[in-house]
Amino acid sequence: MLWLVAFGLALLATRNGAVTPGAATQEFGADPERPAVVSLLGNHWRGVEHAAAATLLDLAARGLVELRQPGDDPARSTVHVTEAGRTASGLMPYEQRVLDRVTASAANGGAPIGAIAFRDDKRAASWNTALRREVIAEARLRGLSRVRFAPLLGGALLIGAFVPGALFAVAAVMGGHGVRAALFVGVAPGAALAFLLSRALGERATPKGLERAGHWAGLRAWLTAHEDFAQLPPASVTVWDRYLAYGTALGVTSLTGRLLGFDSGDRRRVWSSYGGTWRPVRIRYPRLRPGFGGSTPRLLQLAAAAGVVAVCLCAFATLRQPDWVVAVDAHSGGSLRRPGLVLSAGWVSSALLGLVVAGKFSRWTLFVAFLAMMPGNFASGTHGWFSDAAAHEGPLLLELAAITAFGALATYLLVLACLERREPGTITGEVLRVESRSGKDVARFLALDEGNTDLTTAWALPATSQGIATGAQVRLRVSRGTRTIRSAELVRAAMPEGDRVKAAEQNAS
């Protein structure tokens, strides 16, 4: 409790002061901050959401890159590195980072602005984290920002977070509990408080920072007064110059900020230059496709499971007799032969047998099966759907549909298992995305651009496969029935995204 009080007082003492917006102005000032730093001030020191996009627009306003819009659609705009950009020096670290990323994407003369986005989530996260650190470093250098908790205060709070845990551990040992129990009660409270402390760490304003934030709030007011400014496309930087960059940093230009994304991009629409020309490739992910990524033994096992469900449902529906149930009244309300309970038990048991054969049975399966039987268990009255269904002779329409569906699924999986015996086909292309799926041993999605279509369906990459990265050119041996990758051969390694030097070396070769 004392730690929480101290933590609350620390938060109260280090909170940001209020920003007093200045008068609407179009002036930047004598020594204006770069748009990336303005994005930190404009976001109340909580983040730099539009810093990368604003920096790109600022580089365009300074002639290091060029943004072109060939048609009416701003999303089709392209980015090009100028000669001044290729020989630029003396840039801030985050400016060089953005320029490197654009150079790598537009290495062959130009690229769509959508190609700036990363294809790998981890790479995008690490790139943006590094950019944020570099922006904050300059803000601190200018005296506009400072760490929220001083090292002495942060260290004291961190040490104090584990004091209750240490006391709990001593009490547990003195109470006769084992060492494991003592460690658990000792570490758990400290870890929770340390996590709470880590969430509060960040930047806070300085007096100078609050003053400059007020000035840029005045510029935001001036830009907001222009009704069409929010919908300006990226190529309008040639007209609006640095105002477009500052407007993006301050969150005024919603269209430009959305189009110039330096994140992981749209996972269903990726720009690719494989084949010679840039084009958007749409990706389909067959999440519900039966047998996707399955081997022959696994397909046979799933076919057997579907067959078991179909046979059990057929047997239950055929052998079921009306005298299996009793009329539900005040005297037989608790009977195990209630119509709803009998029907639910037959259907759920069939499904459970199928799950056992498929190898998907777990402790949660019984819980779900228990919930599945509840509607029939609570059904009461001498009339109703369950009573009428139990009195019906032969399979119900619902049962016939289920038997047909599971029978067709078993047949389909058997056909796939037979097709898996064929010689795998060979395809070559560039890896657009590699995405994980839920489960440690589950095959991943690999989207490949073969260069001859604008629509591709992801393949199943075995979880044990290593060394395949986005941007690499590979030759795959695949089974088209299950869309499974059997083997992969690297044709050309992927270039690290955002690496200017390696991009130049690769073009020279």
Side-chain angles (χ1 to χ4, degrees), residues 449-496:
D449 178 20
E450 300 180 53
N452 55 5
T453 179
D454 294 338
L455 176 64
T456 183
T457 302
W459 298 87
L461 178 67
T464 55
S465 299
Q466 302 293 332
I468 298 181
T470 56
Q473 293 183 14
V474 294
R475 184 177 294 109
L476 306 177
R477 298 180 73 246
V478 297
S479 297
R480 297 187 181 276
T482 58
R483 298 199 66 82
T484 304
I485 298 173
R486 297 306 177 192
S487 64
E489 176 186 352
L490 186 65
V491 176
R492 193 188 73 179
M495 181 188 65

Side-chain angles (χ1 to χ4, degrees), residues 163-175 177-179 181-187:
V163 171
L167 296 177
F168 288 151
V170 172
V173 172
M174 295 181 63
H177 297 283
V179 177
L183 289 176
F184 176 77
V185 298
V187 173

